[in-house]
Amino acid sequence: MKKVTIPLIRLVPGLILGPASWLGPYVVINSLFLPALIQNLDPANKVKLVAIFSMCGMIVSAISNIIAGAVSDNTRSRFGKRTPSMVVGAFFFMLTSVGAAFSPNIPVLLIFWMLTNVGLNFMVAPIVAWIDMAPKGSEGTASSAYGGLGMALGNNGFNVVGALFLSRFRLGFIIFGIFTFVGILVSALIVHEPSNLDEKIQKKSKEERFSWKDLKTVFPSWKKGRDYYLALIGKLFQGIGNFAITGYILYIMTDFLHRGSQTQSSIQLINTIMLVLGIFMGFVAGPISDKFKILKMPIVIATFFLAIGAIALFILRNELGIIIYAFSAGIGMGMWNSLDNLLNLKVIPDKNRVAFFLGVYNLGNSLPQAVAPVIAATVISSFGYSGIFIVSAIFSLIGGFSMFMIKGVKR
């Protein structure tokens, strides 16, 4: 199968705007608007309900992400292999976000939230597969555009604006849902993926076809996919460590740090610092990786910065702690996001199913946001909010150790 190559002048803008358009609204809704709406509908059970919403979102994400990757891999259209799934997913995400905004009670909100996760994952799996369309020798630059710039904007840039809507969170659902659809549509037009109608569907042998009796046709054995599984484990643990804090950032500010009227400004401060550092890493990490042929070790080092940030916030519990956390987490997440997708491309066990394996790998973005609040809620009920930061540091370091154990990428 001939590899599709997109010039960087089109691919890079799409890899910045695309992930920012799905991740930004999702992070804002998940970390700010959803907890605020839950608190409005049922304040007595808010911590427990955030965990329930996260668990339901995780289940839906796990199923829909795998399906979306498989659908994208087998799509033949005049708009290419990836574009149709992501545009349809973005439109569905917009509709369900608007529905969530008008939810009158918790059960209705939960239904719309699960549907929102379906739309989300039909964007994630195809967009990240665009990285594989980079010209040879420019993969690091493409990965850095996606992770270092696009995800930095998504993770932090949108939260700066989103904090302004904390008192109008229902309107926030609508505005950010619409932005997702518009942003994905524009990024698809910029990249302008070529038609693949003439692409032949590779027929699989009897041994390669899916069988419920042999799941190795879907997921390879540990021996064959060891490095891929280690990368996936690393991403999941690092993600849980990060989102254990960001998933409860609103409640941490109000109930743990007691920021009161300064809650909005504190959230904006954290995300502004992390945004600036994330963008900086996005500009430098990928090109440096390409030039010096280093990939694994910067990702491992990134987890140490995340752990330092969590411990600083736990020990200091004041504005200085907030600033140290923002700087450390900003460097760590910027470095990680710039390079981890490229690392995963290096260890994919089947190059004919790139979107499938990238889609599964990118459950490391959505699943931690679902799992972390469940773990955090359990820790909060047992040890209070302070326990979150210890869990965050430990999980981040486990993620780094898993990445370090990868053998196929030497440094």
Side-chain angles (χ1 to χ4, degrees):
M1 182 175 64
K2 185 179 179 181
K3 184 180 184 294
V4 175
T5 301
I6 304 291
L8 286 182
I9 195 171
R10 298 202 326 255
L11 187 61
V12 166
L15 285 173
I16 295 173
L17 179 59
S21 297
W22 72 257
L23 181 60
Y26 176 73
V27 167
V28 172
I29 291 172
N30 187 42
S31 63
L32 297 180
F33 301 155
L34 184 66
L37 183 51
I38 289 174
Q39 183 172 253
N40 178 264
L41 295 174
D42 191 351
N45 298 300
K46 63 181 183 182
V47 173
K48 179 175 67 176
L49 285 171
V50 167
I52 291 173
F53 273 66
S54 297
M55 181 61 70
C56 292
M58 176 189 67
I59 294 171
V60 172
S61 291
I63 297 171
S64 58
N65 197 292
I66 293 173
I67 294 173
V71 168
S72 178
D73 280 334
N74 291 281
T75 295
R76 306 291 181 272
S77 80
R78 61 181 292 238
F79 303 106
K81 186 188 291 284
R82 312 303 179 190
T83 299
S85 294
M86 66 178 69
V87 172
V88 171
F91 184 71
F92 191 72
F93 182 91
M94 177 182 66
L95 293 181
T96 54
S97 295
V98 173
F102 291 99
S103 298
N105 52 50
I106 292 295
V108 172
L109 179 60
L110 179 59
I111 291 171
F112 276 112
W113 178 242
M114 290 190 291
L115 293 174
T116 297
N117 277 270
V118 173
L120 172 77
N121 285 285
F122 269 82
M123 292 182 281
V124 175
I127 291 178
V128 74
W130 272 351
I131 298 174
D132 196 45
M133 297 180 184
K136 186 173 179 60
S138 301
E139 295 91 343
T141 300
S143 178
S144 191
Y146 178 95
L149 297 175
M151 295 191 71
L153 288 170
N155 274 316
N156 307 117
F158 281 72
N159 268 334
V160 175
V161 179
L164 299 174
F165 289 87
L166 275 176
S167 60
R168 295 169 290 172
F169 45 81
R170 290 185 186 269
L171 177 61
F173 273 95
I174 298 171
I175 291 176
F176 282 86
I178 293 173
F179 183 90
T180 291
F181 175 65
V182 174
I184 292 296
L185 186 60
V186 171
S187 64
L189 292 172
I190 292 172
V191 171
H192 192 58
E193 196 179 337
S195 169
N196 70 329
L197 288 172
D198 59 346
E199 182 180 318
K200 294 181 180 179
I201 300 176
Q202 292 184 329
K203 293 184 178 180
K204 296 182 179 180
S205 64
K206 185 177 181 181
E207 291 76 16
E208 294 177 312
R209 291 173 189 165
F210 175 77
S211 169
W212 291 109
K213 296 179 181 179
D214 187 9
L215 287 177
K216 286 190 291 186
T217 58
V218 178
F219 294 101
S221 65
W222 174 264
K223 183 178 180 180
K224 181 179 179 182
R226 175 186 181 277
D227 284 352
Y228 174 80
Y229 292 132
L230 284 172
L232 179 59
I233 291 169
K235 189 173 182 70
L236 288 171
F237 271 90
Q238 177 272 342
I240 291 172
N242 178 47
F243 288 116
I245 294 177
T246 59
Y248 277 97
I249 192 67
L250 177 62
Y251 300 161
I252 288 173
M253 290 297 168
T254 56
D255 299 354
F256 178 69
L257 298 178
H258 306 291
R259 300 299 290 175
S261 60
Q262 295 180 302
T263 294
Q264 176 181 311
S265 61
S266 296
I267 292 174
Q268 289 176 314
L269 175 64
I270 289 174
N271 285 285
T272 299
I273 293 173
M274 291 184 68
L275 172 63
V276 171
L277 290 171
I279 291 175
F280 174 75
M281 286 295 170
F283 276 113
V284 302
I288 289 176
S289 175
D290 285 337
K291 183 174 181 179
F292 295 101
K293 309 301 179 186
I294 54 173
L295 180 58
K296 182 172 71 174
M297 292 313 298
I299 294 173
V300 174
I301 292 171
T303 61
F304 284 89
F305 280 100
L306 292 172
I308 290 170
I311 296 301
L313 196 55
F314 166 67
I315 293 175
L316 298 177
R317 307 186 186 192
N318 55 22
E319 189 160 357
L320 177 60
I322 290 174
I323 293 173
I324 293 175
Y325 165 76
F327 270 94
S328 296
I331 293 171
M333 287 305 300
M335 198 181 302
W336 178 284
N337 288 334
S338 295
L339 299 173
D340 81 305
N341 281 299
L342 177 58
L343 176 65
N344 186 50
L345 275 171
K346 301 289 186 184
V347 298
I348 283 178
D350 183 355
K351 295 299 183 181
N352 290 321
R353 292 192 291 159
V354 170
F356 173 79
F357 284 108
L358 285 177
V360 173
Y361 184 71
N362 273 273
L363 285 173
N365 290 320
S366 54
L367 286 187
Q369 296 187 54
V371 175
V374 177
I375 296 174
T378 303
V379 172
I380 290 170
S381 64
S382 301
F383 306 102
Y385 281 94
S386 59
I388 293 179
F389 307 103
I390 305 301
V391 169
S392 174
I394 292 173
F395 271 63
S396 295
L397 293 175
I398 292 174
F401 179 75
S402 181
M403 289 293 193
F404 181 76
M405 294 298 291
I406 293 173
K407 293 180 178 179
V409 179
K410 299 301 181 184
R411 61 192 185 103

